[in-house]
Amino acid sequence: MTSRGKFITLEGIEGVGKSTHCAFLRDRLLESGLTVVTTREPGGTRLGEAVRGILLDPSLPAMTPLTELLLMFAARAEHLATVIEPALTRGEWVLCDRFTDATYAYQGGGRALDMAAIAQLEGLVQQGLRPDYTLLFDAPVPIALARAKSRSASDRFEAEVSEFFVKVQAVYRERAAREPLRFVSIDAAQTLPEVEDALRGWVRKLAL
Ligand code: Z5A
């Protein structure tokens, strides 16, 4: 019988390098002989990418924080049912650029929504599924925002002020401190080769 794959999520405020590091990590896992699926949230399915378009489009009218929360979980329900669960069942490893920790950090921390309401939706949508490992890329807000801004025009979240990202980061750090077995915190203010060394070290520890 094929053993179930592992579910790895990458988290952090914008500009910490998640997309860059996701590609690097995928290549290291492929070298170890694993089959790897890379995906992202919000998104990862045709419907989810359409929802992502709505969530990020700065030209649309403002939405309420609750609307934003429900759209995140609607996209996630589709993503879990059609991409993540099937891949894990086939024994593949799933690398996901953001997942529910982002909801706690952005909608709970940034938008001040009730954490208990987020936990209820998490239970309903995920039915007990949690990431096996979460890599939290952590860098001071000004460094991360400067990197993100050097790269592209602002979407609806990126237009937020730095205090918003300080609140988001605080929730990420609290969650990492509470679940040290799942979270791996990586200093993303380091140079790219240094971050890559940290990722290589983590993959070695997995002893694949
Ligand atoms: N969101 C939410 O609110 N609730 C949820 O539940 C979920 C998401 C799932 C879209 O996410 C938005 O959705 C997100 C939160 C919200 N918005 N924000 N903010 P996204 O992941 O698509 O967007 P993002 O977080 O803004 O990602 P990003 O801007 O693409 O950043 P990144 O992936 O972390 O960084 P990057 O593109 O890999 O790197 C940025 C630049 O820095 C790039 O030029 C790199 O070459 C450079 N870089 C990376 N690392 C280094 C180092 N170490 N040194 C120097 N330069 C570096």
Side-chain angles (χ1 to χ4, degrees):
M1 210 177 77
T2 317
S3 60
R4 189 174 162 84
K6 298 279 184 215
F7 182 29
I8 302 174
T9 58
L10 293 89
E11 297 281 3
I13 60 170
E14 68 151 328
V16 287
K18 296 175 306 302
S19 315
T20 308
H21 307 320
C22 190
F24 179 82
L25 188 58
R26 177 204 55 213
D27 291 347
R28 301 293 76 73
L29 294 175
L30 288 172
E31 279 170 6
S32 303
L34 296 170
T35 305
V36 182
V37 172
T38 55
T39 185
R40 67 175 180 180
E41 289 209 349
T45 64
R46 197 160 156 217
L47 287 177
E49 291 294 325
V51 173
R52 179 187 178 92
I54 295 170
L55 280 161
L56 300 191
D57 187 348
S59 73
L60 289 176
M63 65 180 78
T64 72
L66 182 60
T67 305
E68 187 179 278
L69 174 69
L70 294 172
L71 286 175
M72 291 293 175
F73 272 108
R76 184 163 299 139
E78 191 66 20
H79 195 201
L80 279 166
T82 64
V83 175
I84 297 175
E85 265 299 345
L88 294 173
T89 304
R90 289 192 300 267
E92 297 168 9
W93 283 43
V94 176
L95 284 187
C96 191
D97 189 341
R98 293 193 184 281
F99 193 62
T100 306
D101 291 299
T103 314
Y104 283 102
Y106 281 81
Q107 280 66 52
R111 306 277 192 235
L113 284 174
D114 180 16
M115 296 288 188
I118 299 175
Q120 272 190 324
L121 288 167
E122 180 183 32
L124 174 72
V125 169
Q126 294 172 217
Q127 299 290 312
L129 181 103
R130 297 285 185 281
D132 292 289
Y133 300 108
T134 296
L135 302 174
L136 175 60
F137 296 96
D138 199 340
V141 171
I143 293 181
L145 296 190
R147 283 184 191 161
K149 284 197 171 63
S150 72
R151 195 213 42 199
S152 61
S154 292
D155 63 33
R156 211 170 53 79
F157 288 94
E158 290 166 354
E160 291 290 342
V161 293
S162 73
E163 290 73 45
F164 176 86
F165 293 101
V166 169
K167 289 187 214 154
V168 169
Q169 190 172 56
V171 174
Y172 272 133
R173 286 177 178 170
E174 277 164 29
R175 293 179 67 73
R178 231 181 301 138
E179 286 188 75
L181 293 181
R182 171 165 73 93
F183 275 91
V184 180
S185 292
I186 293 177
D187 176 3
Q190 300 178 100
T191 63
L192 203 48
E194 286 171 328
V195 175
E196 289 175 352
D197 272 352
L199 286 171
R200 260 193 222 94
W202 180 70
V203 171
R204 260 197 305 276
K205 277 203 214 141
L206 292 173
L208 300 167

